[in-house]
Amino acid sequence: VMDFIHVLEYLWKAAWCLFKKDDPEVEDWIEKRATEVLRGNASQVAKGLGVSATKRKLKQREGIDKCIGYLLKNKSRLEYGKALEQGFPIASGVIEGACRHLINDRLDITGARWSLEGAEAILKLRSLRSSGDLEKYWEYHKKQSKQRLYGC
């Protein structure tokens, strides 16, 4: 199963061949085509893109042609309905990016050696900081420590 985020990237490339950068209709256009791909109609979306570009006699259609090629080349891996029925993820790119931000950017430093406990502590703090919850957590932590050490 191809990551659905990649499909969206190609659809946006195609959209910018058809719409001006400030056109408010572009998001509805993307939503309709993305929904069709999710329904298993990648070939029909590709065909529609080609017809639209030909009818408009577009000279700048590289984004459309790349999108068409991507959809047709990968149509057997764009069966999202089946994937979801079987419990497979269809958009893991966001998760991969978050993991890269939280883990690789901090723990994958040349020469660094981490114990399991130390790595876990750093990752917890880094995720709290990234989420914007570090200050709230720190107040909670101090209250819990005071409760544990001194009681009521």
Side-chain angles (χ1 to χ4, degrees), residues 36-86:
E36 285 303 309
V37 172
L38 285 170
R39 289 184 176 140
N41 299 324
S43 295
Q44 290 84 347
V45 171
K47 181 180 178 183
L49 288 171
V51 169
S52 183
T54 301
K55 281 185 178 180
R56 295 177 189 211
K57 299 179 183 172
L58 292 179
K59 298 202 185 328
Q60 300 294 324
R61 56 178 282 164
E62 182 180 349
I64 289 175
D65 292 333
K66 284 185 177 186
C67 184
I68 291 169
Y70 179 84
L71 293 174
L72 294 177
K73 180 175 82 171
N74 296 300
K75 67 182 177 183
S76 66
R77 293 185 293 247
L78 302 178
E79 296 181 7
Y80 296 111
K82 291 178 185 176
L84 291 171
E85 282 177 10
Q86 295 175 15

Side-chain angles (χ1 to χ4, degrees), residues 86-102:
Q86 295 175 15
F88 294 129
I90 63 167
S92 61
V94 174
I95 296 164
E96 290 170 20
C99 290
R100 185 173 37 256
H101 169 71
L102 285 173

Side-chain angles (χ1 to χ4, degrees), residues 4 13 18-19 23 34 47 59 61 63 78-79 84 94-98 100 102 113 117 122-123 127 144 146-147:
F4 187 66
K13 288 177 185 180
L18 301 168
F19 293 89
D23 194 330
K47 181 180 178 183
K59 298 202 185 328
R61 56 178 282 164
L78 302 178
E79 296 181 7
L84 291 171
V94 174
I95 296 164
E96 290 170 20
R100 185 173 37 256
L102 285 173
R113 300 288 181 260
E117 294 83 13
I122 290 296
L123 291 176
S127 64
Q144 293 301 308
K146 188 174 181 179
Q147 176 69 26

